[in-house]
PDB file of all heavy atoms in Angstrom:
ATOM      1  N   ALA A  68       4.058  -2.832   7.613  1.00 94.00           N
ATOM      2  CA  ALA A  68       3.469  -1.833   8.501  1.00 94.00           C
ATOM      3  C   ALA A  68       3.437  -0.471   7.825  1.00 94.00           C
ATOM      4  O   ALA A  68       2.410   0.222   7.832  1.00 94.00           O
ATOM      5  CB  ALA A  68       4.268  -1.752   9.798  1.00 94.00           C
ATOM      6  N   GLN A  69       4.548  -0.100   7.197  1.00 93.00           N
ATOM      7  CA  GLN A  69       4.607   1.195   6.512  1.00 93.00           C
ATOM      8  C   GLN A  69       3.603   1.243   5.370  1.00 93.00           C
ATOM      9  O   GLN A  69       2.913   2.255   5.193  1.00 93.00           O
ATOM     10  CB  GLN A  69       6.019   1.447   5.973  1.00 93.00           C
ATOM     11  CG  GLN A  69       7.012   1.878   7.040  1.00 93.00           C
ATOM     12  CD  GLN A  69       6.503   3.056   7.842  1.00 93.00           C
ATOM     13  OE1 GLN A  69       5.966   4.003   7.292  1.00 93.00           O
ATOM     14  NE2 GLN A  69       6.651   2.986   9.157  1.00 93.00           N
ATOM     15  N   ALA A  70       3.518   0.152   4.614  1.00 94.00           N
ATOM     16  CA  ALA A  70       2.610   0.116   3.465  1.00 94.00           C
ATOM     17  C   ALA A  70       1.165   0.244   3.932  1.00 94.00           C
ATOM     18  O   ALA A  70       0.366   0.966   3.325  1.00 94.00           O
ATOM     19  CB  ALA A  70       2.804  -1.167   2.681  1.00 94.00           C
ATOM     20  N   ILE A  71       0.820  -0.438   5.019  1.00 94.00           N
ATOM     21  CA  ILE A  71      -0.556  -0.384   5.520  1.00 94.00           C
ATOM     22  C   ILE A  71      -0.887   1.029   5.986  1.00 94.00           C
ATOM     23  O   ILE A  71      -1.966   1.556   5.712  1.00 94.00           O
ATOM     24  CB  ILE A  71      -0.760  -1.405   6.658  1.00 94.00           C
ATOM     25  CG1 ILE A  71      -0.760  -2.817   6.080  1.00 94.00           C
ATOM     26  CG2 ILE A  71      -2.058  -1.149   7.402  1.00 94.00           C
ATOM     27  CD1 ILE A  71      -0.830  -3.906   7.103  1.00 94.00           C
ATOM     28  N   LYS A  72       0.066   1.664   6.656  1.00 94.00           N
ATOM     29  CA  LYS A  72      -0.182   3.021   7.138  1.00 94.00           C
ATOM     30  C   LYS A  72      -0.379   3.986   5.971  1.00 94.00           C
ATOM     31  O   LYS A  72      -1.213   4.879   6.026  1.00 94.00           O
ATOM     32  CB  LYS A  72       0.966   3.472   8.033  1.00 94.00           C
ATOM     33  CG  LYS A  72       0.913   2.792   9.391  1.00 94.00           C
ATOM     34  CD  LYS A  72       2.149   3.053  10.198  1.00 94.00           C
ATOM     35  CE  LYS A  72       2.157   2.143  11.409  1.00 94.00           C
ATOM     36  NZ  LYS A  72       3.392   2.309  12.187  1.00 94.00           N
ATOM     37  N   LYS A  73       0.393   3.791   4.913  1.00 94.00           N
ATOM     38  CA  LYS A  73       0.229   4.645   3.741  1.00 94.00           C
ATOM     39  C   LYS A  73      -1.122   4.394   3.087  1.00 94.00           C
ATOM     40  O   LYS A  73      -1.806   5.334   2.682  1.00 94.00           O
ATOM     41  CB  LYS A  73       1.347   4.369   2.735  1.00 94.00           C
ATOM     42  CG  LYS A  73       2.623   5.069   3.113  1.00 94.00           C
ATOM     43  CD  LYS A  73       3.726   4.775   2.133  1.00 94.00           C
ATOM     44  CE  LYS A  73       4.953   5.565   2.529  1.00 94.00           C
ATOM     45  NZ  LYS A  73       6.115   5.211   1.742  1.00 94.00           N
ATOM     46  N   ALA A  74      -1.493   3.135   2.983  1.00 94.00           N
ATOM     47  CA  ALA A  74      -2.772   2.793   2.362  1.00 94.00           C
ATOM     48  C   ALA A  74      -3.933   3.379   3.157  1.00 94.00           C
ATOM     49  O   ALA A  74      -4.923   3.827   2.587  1.00 94.00           O
ATOM     50  CB  ALA A  74      -2.916   1.288   2.262  1.00 94.00           C
ATOM     51  N   ARG A  75      -3.805   3.388   4.482  1.00 94.00           N
ATOM     52  CA  ARG A  75      -4.864   3.966   5.309  1.00 94.00           C
ATOM     53  C   ARG A  75      -4.959   5.464   5.085  1.00 94.00           C
ATOM     54  O   ARG A  75      -6.054   6.017   4.981  1.00 94.00           O
ATOM     55  CB  ARG A  75      -4.564   3.709   6.784  1.00 94.00           C
ATOM     56  CG  ARG A  75      -4.904   2.320   7.239  1.00 94.00           C
ATOM     57  CD  ARG A  75      -4.494   2.185   8.677  1.00 94.00           C
ATOM     58  NE  ARG A  75      -4.771   0.854   9.182  1.00 94.00           N
ATOM     59  CZ  ARG A  75      -4.204   0.373  10.284  1.00 94.00           C
ATOM     60  NH1 ARG A  75      -3.333   1.115  10.955  1.00 94.00           N
ATOM     61  NH2 ARG A  75      -4.502  -0.829  10.702  1.00 94.00           N
ATOM     62  N   GLN A  76      -3.807   6.092   4.993  1.00 93.00           N
ATOM     63  CA  GLN A  76      -3.774   7.543   4.780  1.00 93.00           C
ATOM     64  C   GLN A  76      -4.484   7.913   3.489  1.00 93.00           C
ATOM     65  O   GLN A  76      -5.204   8.903   3.435  1.00 93.00           O
ATOM     66  CB  GLN A  76      -2.307   7.982   4.742  1.00 93.00           C
ATOM     67  CG  GLN A  76      -2.083   9.436   4.466  1.00 93.00           C
ATOM     68  CD  GLN A  76      -2.267  10.280   5.708  1.00 93.00           C
ATOM     69  OE1 GLN A  76      -2.231   9.771   6.815  1.00 93.00           O
ATOM     70  NE2 GLN A  76      -2.493  11.559   5.520  1.00 93.00           N
ATOM     71  N   MET A  77      -4.289   7.086   2.462  1.00 93.00           N
ATOM     72  CA  MET A  77      -4.877   7.390   1.166  1.00 93.00           C
ATOM     73  C   MET A  77      -6.236   6.723   0.984  1.00 93.00           C
ATOM     74  O   MET A  77      -6.697   6.538  -0.144  1.00 93.00           O
ATOM     75  CB  MET A  77      -3.944   6.952   0.038  1.00 93.00           C
ATOM     76  CG  MET A  77      -2.613   7.669   0.017  1.00 93.00           C
ATOM     77  SD  MET A  77      -2.723   9.440   0.219  1.00 93.00           S
ATOM     78  CE  MET A  77      -3.292   9.934  -1.385  1.00 93.00           C
ATOM     79  N   ALA A  78      -6.872   6.330   2.066  1.00 93.00           N
ATOM     80  CA  ALA A  78      -8.239   5.782   2.058  1.00 93.00           C
ATOM     81  C   ALA A  78      -8.374   4.542   1.184  1.00 93.00           C
ATOM     82  O   ALA A  78      -9.422   4.294   0.607  1.00 93.00           O
ATOM     83  CB  ALA A  78      -9.259   6.838   1.639  1.00 93.00           C
ATOM     84  N   LEU A  79      -7.296   3.761   1.080  1.00 93.00           N
ATOM     85  CA  LEU A  79      -7.392   2.478   0.381  1.00 93.00           C
ATOM     86  C   LEU A  79      -7.758   1.377   1.366  1.00 93.00           C
ATOM     87  O   LEU A  79      -8.330   0.356   1.000  1.00 93.00           O
ATOM     88  CB  LEU A  79      -6.064   2.136  -0.294  1.00 93.00           C
ATOM     89  CG  LEU A  79      -5.545   3.148  -1.299  1.00 93.00           C
ATOM     90  CD1 LEU A  79      -4.161   2.766  -1.765  1.00 93.00           C
ATOM     91  CD2 LEU A  79      -6.481   3.254  -2.482  1.00 93.00           C
ATOM     92  N   LEU A  80      -7.388   1.606   2.624  1.00 93.00           N
ATOM     93  CA  LEU A  80      -7.758   0.688   3.702  1.00 93.00           C
ATOM     94  C   LEU A  80      -8.384   1.528   4.817  1.00 93.00           C
ATOM     95  O   LEU A  80      -8.005   2.677   5.004  1.00 93.00           O
ATOM     96  CB  LEU A  80      -6.529  -0.025   4.257  1.00 93.00           C
ATOM     97  CG  LEU A  80      -5.841  -1.080   3.398  1.00 93.00           C
ATOM     98  CD1 LEU A  80      -4.609  -1.583   4.114  1.00 93.00           C
ATOM     99  CD2 LEU A  80      -6.776  -2.223   3.100  1.00 93.00           C
TER     100      LEU A  80
END
Side-chain angles (χ1 to χ4, degrees):
Chain A
Q69 283 308 316
I71 288 175
K72 286 171 191 177
K73 280 179 177 173
R75 281 177 181 162
Q76 177 81 18
M77 297 314 284
L79 302 173
L80 289 177

